[in-house]
Structures are given as structure tokens and as C-alpha cells.
Amino acid sequence: GQQVMQIPQYQHVQEGEDFTTYCNSSTTLSNIQWYKQRPGGHPVFLIQLVKSGEVKKQKRLTFQFGEAKKNSSLHITATQTTDVGTYFCAGPTTGNNRKLIWGLGTSLAVNP
Amino acid sequence: DTGVSQDPRHKITKRGQNVTFRCDPISEHNRLYWYRQTLGQGPEFLTYFQNEAQLEKSRLLSDRFSAERPKGSFSTLEIQRTEQGDSAMYLCASSFDGEGSPLHFGNGTRLTVT
């Protein structure tokens, strides 16, 4: 079945280092969404990418959607302790009743 | 608009008991989703509604689970004859119609079955 995979599963960085998480879909996606979940919290929507090769920035966060629309990445420059959490990518399933299929997430820990 | 609210925040129950959770979505949102999440995992889809119609229910969901959205506003999720494996965070989310509409999640109901 359709799958969305994320790597790495965990990442520990020193504050100030960069961080990247990668998302790969088994099928071409019409769009991809990124969410952040803080420890003990709920997922919060960050951004949606729609176009092939699209790049969007939110301050220190850079999101990319691959040319084939099957992969995506989130890059954080100069991490801060406030970046701690789990980052999920999610893309719509194929078929009539489209819903999001989620990756397992990348948990980011930042050492001050 | 106060966002998506879920009640209760925590529920501890004994195995075999029935539990019911409530979700109040953002009022303008047509779609309402129920997810389940366990530690270290992503949200697992359970079911979703468009207005009052339940459009899809996960095949992973046993017959002990049922959800309703009677008037197209709030929703309830009931688990009958709870089992220890049902222990998880149950998340509700709502969104506008249309593919790509971002999901707005509630704080979840954490269920512990003893």
C-alpha cells in the first residue's frame, strides 16, 4: 500500500548546528504537508508544498518538494532549543476519499 | 474561535469498560478526523467525517470502535469493551473541504486501560 517514510527517526544536535529530515513517498503526491509536534503536544501545521521543485522558507526553516513530487525535505539552520519536537510529513492518499498518510516522524533533540 | 477542543484530556478505565470521547471542531470546518497515536509513532488514521457523513473508517479499526457526528458539528468516539492495547492518545482534527487543507488538531484524549 501507499507509504510515507521519514529519515532519520531520531536526531540529536548541538544548539547552533543544522538539521535536515527527509520524507519519501511510495507514490507521487499532489501535495505534501509538514507538521511539528512538541513533546506532550499535538501536531501543528507548518506548511504545504504543492508544486514540483517548490522551495519555501519560514525564518530558519526551509522546505523543499522534489521534482518528481515523491520526496520532500525540511532543513533547519542554526537549531535552537525551541526547535525540539517531532517533525512529520504527510501526503494525501490516492483514491476518492483522500486523507493524509503520515510518516513516522523525525524526533529532534537539541543540546544547549 | 477557540480551536479544536477534546474532552476529557485524560481517561483511565478498567479493561472491559466502555469509554466515550468528545471532539468539538473549529465551527467553520466541514471535515472532522479521528486519529490514534502511540509513543514514537505518527498519527494513525481511524475515521473521518464530511459534515455528518462518515466517509471512511480504517480497516484496522475493530467493531468495538464507533464514531458519530450527528449534526455535522461535534463528534463522539466510543470504544466498547476496552482492551489494554487501546491505550493511546486519541486525537481529533478538523479542516475545510478540499485536498491539502491543513488539519487543526485538538490536545487529544489520553486513554489508559488498566
Side-chain angles (χ1 to χ4, degrees):
Chain A
Q2 187 178 357
Q3 287 186 316
V4 172
M5 294 148 286
Q6 278 186 260
I7 54 170
Q9 191 173 0
Y10 304 100
Q11 184 83 57
H12 285 79
V13 298
Q14 285 295 129
E15 191 171 20
E17 290 182 340
D18 292 355
F19 159 78
T20 305
T21 173
Y22 300 91
C23 179
N24 293 289
S25 170
S26 58
T27 60
T28 301
L29 298 171
S30 57
N31 67 80
I32 193 158
Q33 298 179 16
W34 285 91
Y35 292 78
K36 176 184 178 182
Q37 185 171 21
R38 287 201 161 97
H42 57 273
V44 174
F45 174 77
L46 293 177
I47 207 161
Q48 181 189 218
L49 303 170
V50 178
K51 299 176 184 176
S52 170
E54 188 170 13
V55 178
K56 285 188 176 180
K57 292 191 175 186
Q58 289 180 351
K59 297 182 181 178
R60 296 177 294 103
L61 276 61
T62 302
F63 302 84
Q64 292 189 340
F65 201 10
E67 294 290 340
K69 301 182 76 173
K70 292 183 72 173
N71 55 70
S72 181
S73 65
L74 158 59
H75 179 82
I76 302 178
T77 304
T79 53
Q80 300 175 358
T81 54
T82 53
D83 296 325
V84 165
T86 302
Y87 293 85
F88 293 98
C89 63
T93 56
T94 55
N96 291 331
N97 293 328
R98 297 199 177 200
K99 61 183 186 292
L100 288 179
I101 185 166
W102 294 71
L104 291 182
T106 296
S107 293
L108 172 64
V110 179
N111 297 325
Chain B
D1 183 6
T2 57
V4 179
S5 63
Q6 291 186 246
D7 184 68
R9 289 294 304 275
H10 304 275
K11 178 70 177 179
I12 300 174
T13 191
K14 291 186 177 179
R15 189 175 52 188
Q17 297 294 306
N18 299 344
V19 294
T20 301
F21 310 141
R22 177 181 170 122
C23 171
D24 287 87
I26 293 172
S27 55
E28 298 87 2
H29 286 175
N30 308 87
R31 291 194 173 187
L32 186 149
Y33 301 79
W34 284 100
Y35 285 88
R36 177 170 63 189
Q37 189 177 29
T38 53
L39 200 61
Q41 301 293 312
E44 176 191 7
F45 171 79
L46 296 180
T47 188
Y48 89 98
F49 294 83
Q50 180 150 318
N51 300 313
E52 65 275 8
Q54 187 173 19
L55 293 189
E56 190 170 344
K57 184 176 176 180
S58 170
R59 283 172 288 180
L60 300 173
L61 220 57
S62 77
D63 291 341
R64 297 185 296 106
F65 288 71
S66 62
E68 294 182 343
R69 194 183 183 197
K71 297 181 180 178
S73 55
F74 74 92
S75 175
T76 57
L77 176 68
E78 181 183 17
I79 309 174
Q80 295 182 329
R81 304 181 303 281
T82 51
E83 302 172 357
Q84 286 189 318
D86 297 331
S87 296
M89 176 72 82
Y90 289 83
L91 292 165
C92 175
S94 68
S95 76
F96 289 111
D97 256 349
E99 184 179 309
S101 293
L103 302 185
H104 296 259
F105 284 86
N107 288 325
T109 294
R110 180 166 295 285
L111 173 66
T112 302
V113 182
T114 61

